[in-house]
Structures are given as structure tokens and as C-alpha cells.
Amino acid sequence: MLTLDTRVPAVLLRIDRNPFHHGTLGAVRSLGRAGVEVHVAASDSAGSPVRRSRYLHQTHPPPPPGASLQEISSVLRRISHRVARPSVLIPMDDAGALAIGRLQKELAESYLLPDQASGLAERVADKATLAQVCASAGIPHPVTLLPESPAQAAAAVRRLGLPVVAKWSRPWLVPAGTDLRSTVLVRSATEAQELYRRSEEAGSRLLLQAFLPDGPGRDWFVHGYVDRTGAVRGGGSGRKHRSWPRGAGLTAVGEWTPDPGLRAGVERLVDTLGYRGIFDLDFRVDAATGEHCLLDFNPRPGAQFRLFADGADLDVVRAQHLDMTYRPLPAAAVLSGRAFVVENYSPLAALRVLMTAGPASTASQRRELAWHAQDDMAPARAMWVLWCRHVTRRLLGRLRRTVRPTGPPGEEVRVRMVRQAGAPDGSGRAEAARIDDERASSC
């Protein structure tokens, strides 16, 4: 049984708006069950089901989406003053992770943080530099091109072949209130050119990447925590059985599937970088080569991190708390085949889990649901109320969009691009907020 230092609180920071971020609830429960006082600063904390958890000690006003570094620093200093003790600080999204990385020296007096090299979190999260990072560590990565003009964007599409994955190199800079998405699938050179012309609006460079088709057994993820000695602790490798949206989204159903070769490559990568702290990596198998190609490096916990709660109930957030408080981390106790299901994204799979659940002592080692927990039922009830409202809004929005859109020249292309990305075609702030609700972080 793990023994965490319950004298040391934990603060969870999430800047991006997403009331359905089950990873935040997972972290609250994981640390709270171990007796740690858990504080949350999240943009949706007032209406989020996480607020109903019995393991949440207190919520705090968060920095707003798009907040400056100084605003984020002020919020974290204010929380530290209220908590009145040094705390383990864990970012739950990329925006928070990058801000903490930049503010590390400033926050060192108030928070316990992994000793991360300055700028490293931003380097691995930036899609433009990820290809270089992979090359330096010998990690396969899809062919990625960075056009410098609309003409080069069209040429890149011809070289890569259709369809092409288009990404903004720094997705955390994509402004709210627009129809821009962090990643879209484009099906013509014209669409790629239109996206390139919006680079200034997006706040970062456009990348065009070779498309690797999805398929059974092709989507993988690896989570872990790199301790102060550089050893990878906790976490493991897993396969996505279902994702939401299908084929390109967060993990709706995942299974712990040990792959020693994949884990060895990840250990080589983090060692090459000198990385410290929690990481969440996304891979897709290239059907032509059989190689696991790295798609994303997220310098924070993935939303499904509780999949890798091992036989000692060690997960990556507990690993960070133990390491930051100089407590011993136990040897890995792998639970191969353990499953994780997100009920609102895969309700039938969740229903099967609930119907076949056995004694609590063994069921918790076989599987975990994102929202439902026998010792903490209120968040699941609140989630279903909120989710039904969300789905109703989506259905009404689709009915309204059955009317063919009209607008100035070029508007039809823009609408088609957004629809192919799976996003609503409204441009108001309310619609943008709904898009943010669905955005996953490896999720």
C-alpha cells in the first residue's frame, strides 16, 4: 500500500475550458483517496461535475483561457497564499504545463515541481519541433512539411498525397471564438492554402503531415513519470479500442497492453531530452512499416492516466507526489489487460462493465470507469445531467445546419473545411465554447 505524505497538498491547474475532462476527476480521486488535500483551479470548475467529488478539498478561481504568463503567475501565487503550505503542482492541460515550465523558478518557493529544463515542455509540445526531437532519438514520426507560402502548401499536399493532416504547431495559441481547430483533415490543395492564409489568426505555423490511416490495433499511447534520477516510473503502454471522435480523438475505451519495445523507445526519448515529470505520448502504427509513429508529446497527464493504476495503485500523479516529497516509489506491478472506459463517449461498453462487475477488490484491478465510482457517485450523476444538455444542444445545432449556408465568396470552402474536421460551423463564442468542451488532451 502506498503511503503519500498527507501533510503536502496538491494543486491541479487546467486553463482550457472542458467540463467533461475526466482526467481532472481522476487526479482528484487518486490523490484524495490517499489522504492528500486536493485543490483545483480550472476554467469550468463552477459547473464541472468534478466539483461534486467528495475528494475535492477546494476550488479556486482559475486564469482565463488565453491568460498572459503574468496573469497565470498571479493566480498561482494567490492560491499558494490561501493553501499556506508548499504544494505539489500538477498541470492537467498543455497551456498549464507550458506556463508552469516558464514560471518554474518563480514558483519554486511555493510549489514542489520536477526539475525540468527551461523551455523543454514547449519544445516537445510544439508540433513543428517534435519531428526534430524524434529524429534525434531515433523515434519514427510521420513525414511532416512546414510550408512558407500558399503555393508551398499546395505543393506539400501533392507530395504527401490526399488526405493530409493539417496541424497548428502550437495548438494552445488557437484563439477561442473562431472555427479553427488544432488538427483537421484536408482533402484538397485549395483547403490547405486557405488554412495557410489563416496562420496569423491561428498564432503559429501550419504543418502538413502524412496521413496514417486508423484501424484495429493501430492507436497506442504511453504514459509515465520521469523521477529526479531520470528513471521512468508508473504508467505503461496501452491500446485504444475506441476513440471519440472515432479514429482521431480521445481514448473512450483503452486497454493496458505492455510492449517492451515501445516502452524502451520512449525511455530512450525522455533520456535524450533530459525530460522530468509526467508525460503522455500518442502513437499510430504505420501499416506500411509496422512502426509506432509518435504523433504527440504531451508534457502532462493524459485524461486516461488511471488506466495505468498498477497492483500497488501507483499512477503518474501519485508518482509525482511521492517523488516531490522524497518518498520511495515502489517497483512496477503491471496489470496487463486492465481496461479504462469513458461512459459518456462509450456508454454501451460502460454498461457492459457495470453489468459484469464483480467484487470491488478485484473489479478495480480489472477495469476503471472515468466517472462512475462506488465511493464517489455524485460526479457521475452530475456528468450525465450536463452531458444530456450538451447532446441536446448538438442535435438542435445539426438540425439548424441542414439549411444550406450562404455567404460571401470563399465561405462555402471554409464551411466545408470545418465540417470535414467534425466541428460545428458557427463562429460565435457559445459555439466555440462547445468545441472546447469536446477537445481532448490525449486524451
Side-chain angles (χ1 to χ4, degrees):
M1 180 66 181
L2 296 177
T3 304
L4 277 66
D5 190 340
T6 58
R7 299 169 300 177
V8 180
V11 175
L12 309 179
L13 173 68
R14 185 162 49 77
I15 298 173
D16 286 344
R17 184 182 185 277
N18 184 354
F20 302 112
H21 193 268
H22 49 274
T24 303
L25 177 62
V28 168
R29 284 173 170 167
S30 177
L31 295 168
R33 285 170 177 150
V36 173
E37 183 181 293
V38 185
H39 299 254
V40 169
S43 294
D44 47 67
S45 58
S48 171
V50 176
R51 191 181 181 93
R52 306 295 182 88
S53 175
R54 60 179 293 196
Y55 296 108
L56 176 63
H57 181 79
Q58 188 175 355
T59 60
H60 300 267
S68 68
L69 204 60
Q70 189 57 44
E71 288 174 317
I72 296 170
S73 175
S74 297
V75 167
L76 290 174
R77 287 199 305 269
R78 186 162 56 248
I79 293 172
S80 175
H81 178 74
R82 290 175 180 171
V83 175
R85 284 169 288 166
S87 306
V88 174
L89 177 59
I90 303 176
M92 299 304 299
D93 63 0
D94 287 343
L98 300 178
I100 290 171
R102 291 183 179 182
L103 295 168
Q104 186 167 4
K105 291 183 179 179
E106 182 178 333
L107 298 174
E109 293 184 1
S110 304
Y111 293 99
L112 306 177
L113 298 166
D115 187 16
Q116 189 75 272
S118 178
L120 182 54
E122 190 165 354
R123 182 184 172 202
V124 297
D126 191 317
K127 315 301 182 188
T129 57
L130 184 60
Q132 301 169 5
V133 168
C134 289
S136 65
I139 303 297
H141 184 73
V143 177
T144 303
L145 303 176
L146 283 78
E148 299 287 350
S149 67
Q152 286 189 16
V157 168
R158 290 191 292 271
R159 175 181 168 184
L160 295 172
L162 292 170
V164 170
V165 177
K167 300 180 177 181
W168 300 111
S169 64
R170 299 186 174 192
W172 58 92
L173 297 179
V174 174
T178 73
D179 57 11
L180 290 171
R181 298 293 298 273
S182 60
T183 302
V184 297
L185 196 64
V186 299
R187 302 183 183 276
S188 73
T190 300
E191 291 177 6
Q193 290 176 310
E194 290 291 334
L195 276 177
Y196 180 85
R197 293 187 179 99
R198 302 184 70 181
S199 297
E200 184 175 352
E201 180 184 0
S204 63
R205 300 183 67 181
L206 177 69
L207 284 72
L208 297 175
Q209 190 173 86
F211 174 66
L212 302 181
D214 65 319
R218 292 185 188 173
D219 286 325
W220 289 70
F221 47 91
V222 179
H223 294 186
Y225 173 77
V226 186
D227 68 15
R228 61 182 70 251
T229 71
V232 177
R233 314 300 295 270
S237 60
R239 287 189 299 173
K240 286 186 185 182
H241 290 303
R242 289 194 182 90
S243 60
W244 189 91
R246 183 175 297 177
L250 60 81
T251 300
V253 180
E255 179 186 356
W256 192 340
T257 310
D259 187 316
L262 180 57
R263 186 174 178 90
V266 169
E267 290 176 347
R268 184 172 68 250
L269 174 61
V270 296
D271 182 64
T272 299
L273 292 167
Y275 186 86
R276 296 292 184 271
I278 299 173
F279 62 81
D280 161 29
L281 311 183
D282 289 324
F283 293 85
R284 177 166 286 179
V285 175
D286 186 340
T289 65
E291 295 180 317
H292 292 80
C293 293
L294 181 60
L295 302 181
D296 287 302
F297 190 128
N298 303 298
R300 40 77 183 165
Q304 76 275 30
F305 78 91
R306 281 292 299 174
L307 170 64
F308 302 112
D310 69 8
D313 211 13
L314 177 70
D315 57 38
V316 293
V317 300
R318 288 187 173 189
Q320 178 166 333
H321 196 282
L322 288 166
D323 189 40
M324 292 296 96
T325 55
Y326 292 88
R327 295 283 174 122
L329 278 76
V334 175
L335 297 177
S336 179
R338 176 172 154 85
F340 184 84
V341 180
V342 186
E343 301 94 307
N344 50 319
Y345 300 134
S346 190
L348 293 180
L351 183 61
R352 285 194 294 269
V353 167
L354 291 170
M355 292 178 65
T356 59
S361 58
T362 57
S364 64
Q365 293 203 340
R366 294 200 317 268
R367 53 77 178 156
E368 183 156 334
L369 296 173
W371 296 97
H372 182 275
Q374 291 290 348
D375 63 338
D376 193 30
M377 294 293 291
R381 291 193 292 265
M383 180 278 293
W384 283 119
V385 171
L386 192 63
W387 184 252
C388 289
R389 293 173 184 169
H390 170 75
V391 170
T392 299
R393 288 198 306 264
R394 293 279 291 173
L395 291 174
L396 291 175
R398 287 182 181 179
L399 288 174
R400 288 193 294 267
R401 292 196 301 278
T402 56
V403 179
R404 182 178 178 84
T406 59
E411 181 71 6
E412 186 174 344
V413 171
R414 183 190 69 79
V415 170
R416 187 170 66 252
M417 288 165 59
V418 174
R419 284 180 174 169
Q420 287 171 348
D425 56 359
S427 59
R429 288 190 175 272
E431 192 67 25
R434 289 198 288 274
I435 293 172
D436 287 342
D437 288 349
E438 299 158 8
R439 196 165 57 190
S441 66
S442 204
C443 294

